[in-house]
Amino acid sequence: MTIVEEKTAADPCAEAQRYLRPDGQDQYTISEVAEFTGMSAHTLRWYERIGLMPHVDRSHTGQRRFSNKDLDWLAFVGKLRLTGMPVADMVAYAEMLRAGDHTSRQRQALLEATRVDVVRRIAELQDTLSVLDSKISAYAGAGQAPERTA
Amino acid sequence: MTIVEEKTAADPCAEAQRYLRPDGQDQYTISEVAEFTGMSAHTLRWYERIGLMPHVDRSHTGQRRFSNKDLDWLAFVGKLRLTGMPVADMVAYAEMLRAGDHTSRQRQALLEATRVDVVRRIAELQDTLSVLDSKISAYAGAGQAPERTA
DNA sequence: TGTTTGCCTAGAGCGCACTCCAAGGTCCTA
DNA sequence: TAGGACCTTGGAGTGCGCTCTAGGCAAACA
């Protein structure tokens, strides 16, 4: 929790890179990663199980040790999740990555389709925002006039 | 179907007001409303059952006859749904509406909270968009370079 | 030397938002 | 007057994305 509040001074967008990654240390326990990413440890294990994460390194006793690369990937997954992309599609992307270079065309296509989707969703939300604004200003102006249109 | 393709010339945003509502006619069957709103008839009945719709008028044989006011409400619900607002919250709003004028302050607050949420989501999506763009341009530029960062 | 804490696994369970089913009534056309 | 499309209801089922449970292992602390 305390870590979340710190941020690198050079980063203009605190939301994007919430977690601190000291360069000297490249080994995170699952609970640390849960804290950094906001995902639960259950979710992280589940992501690995369904193939949304590459297999994570283990300690000699079998405990997961996440790397900075894993954190990068999880940050990306977190972004995709915000777009409403189905987990199955993310898994498909991850599998294409694992499959190698010959899938890069498909991966690019998938990202581009996602991009189109995100643009559409932004437009929808902006439209919704204007609806909300007009209702809110009706409430602010009258007090009970908006009753008619809900 | 044919109705959907017509649109009022004055409306700059076809997405928002997809359906045509002839002023002379104020009675729609559930399947018509399903077509206009893109919601299934099942969903419309379900919305009524859970209290997200006010009770809809019935024909003498008990079939639903939706009014233009119902369509307005459904359009609003559709917008709220796009924001990711839980259905339970929308029901709460609907109940406040039914409860009368003394809830208008709370309703306004709820809409304002929703607004804040929508603004945040737009920001998140725009952030995601820039992540996607940088990945896409990496794919477009190199072909296999993005491999490292996924 | 306990006890607590954190982690492991496979698999079951949950909440949400629908979505469908069964059994039956109604409307419309021929 | 028959047939088919459409509507009704209550309740069960589905798919998704987690979320939790049970039973157990390992390290750290009192």
Side-chain angles (χ1 to χ4, degrees), chain A residues 13 16 69 73 76 79-80 82-83 93 97 101 104 107-108 111-112 114-115 118-119 121-122 124-129 131-133 135-136 139-140 143-144 147-148 150, chain B residues 13 16 69 73 76 79-80 82-83 93 97 101 104 107-108 111-112 114-115 118-119 121-122 124-129 131-133 135-136 139-140 143-144 147-148 150:
Chain A
C13 181
K69 210 180 146 200
W73 173 247
F76 182 53
K79 289 289 176 207
L80 291 183
L82 286 177
T83 71
Y93 183 83
L97 259 184
D101 285 359
S104 79
R107 278 179 271 148
Q108 185 180 351
L111 292 186
E112 277 163 1
T114 303
R115 199 205 117 93
V118 171
V119 168
R121 292 173 63 79
I122 288 173
E124 284 172 353
L125 285 179
Q126 269 160 350
D127 196 39
T128 302
L129 196 59
V131 170
L132 283 174
D133 280 342
K135 283 211 189 285
I136 287 169
Y139 272 109
Q144 65 263 45
E147 212 67 14
R148 282 198 56 80
Chain B
C13 182
K69 209 179 148 202
W73 173 248
F76 182 53
K79 289 289 177 208
L80 290 183
L82 287 177
T83 71
Y93 183 82
L97 259 182
D101 286 1
S104 81
R107 279 178 271 148
Q108 186 180 352
L111 292 186
E112 278 164 1
T114 304
R115 198 205 118 93
V118 170
V119 168
R121 292 173 65 78
I122 288 173
E124 284 172 352
L125 285 179
Q126 269 161 350
D127 196 38
T128 302
L129 196 59
V131 170
L132 283 174
D133 281 342
K135 281 209 189 287
I136 288 168
Y139 273 109
Q144 64 264 43
E147 212 68 13
R148 282 196 57 80

Side-chain angles (χ1 to χ4, degrees), chain B residues 42-55 64:
Chain B
H42 289 303
T43 299
L44 292 170
R45 291 193 199 99
W46 180 63
Y47 279 179
E48 189 182 354
R49 229 191 304 178
I50 65 175
L52 184 49
M53 287 278 315
H55 278 294
R64 286 174 185 80

Side-chain angles (χ1 to χ4, degrees), chain A residues 17-91:
Chain A
Q17 296 262 53
R18 237 184 319 203
Y19 48 84
L20 183 72
R21 292 170 300 160
D23 279 341
Q25 189 197 347
D26 196 23
Q27 301 269 85
Y28 308 97
T29 66
I30 198 164
S31 59
E32 283 170 331
V33 175
E35 197 174 295
F36 295 163
T37 62
M39 298 161 178
S40 76
H42 289 304
T43 299
L44 292 170
R45 289 192 201 101
W46 180 64
Y47 279 180
E48 189 183 355
R49 229 192 304 179
I50 65 176
L52 183 51
M53 287 279 313
H55 279 296
V56 176
D57 281 352
R58 303 300 175 116
S59 72
H60 68 285
T61 57
Q63 299 196 351
R64 287 173 184 80
R65 293 294 176 259
F66 291 78
S67 67
N68 284 328
K69 210 180 146 200
D70 293 329
L71 291 186
D72 284 338
W73 173 247
L74 283 170
F76 182 53
V77 164
K79 289 289 176 207
L80 291 183
R81 189 171 58 161
L82 286 177
T83 71
M85 181 189 241
V87 167
D89 290 5
M90 296 186 224
V91 171

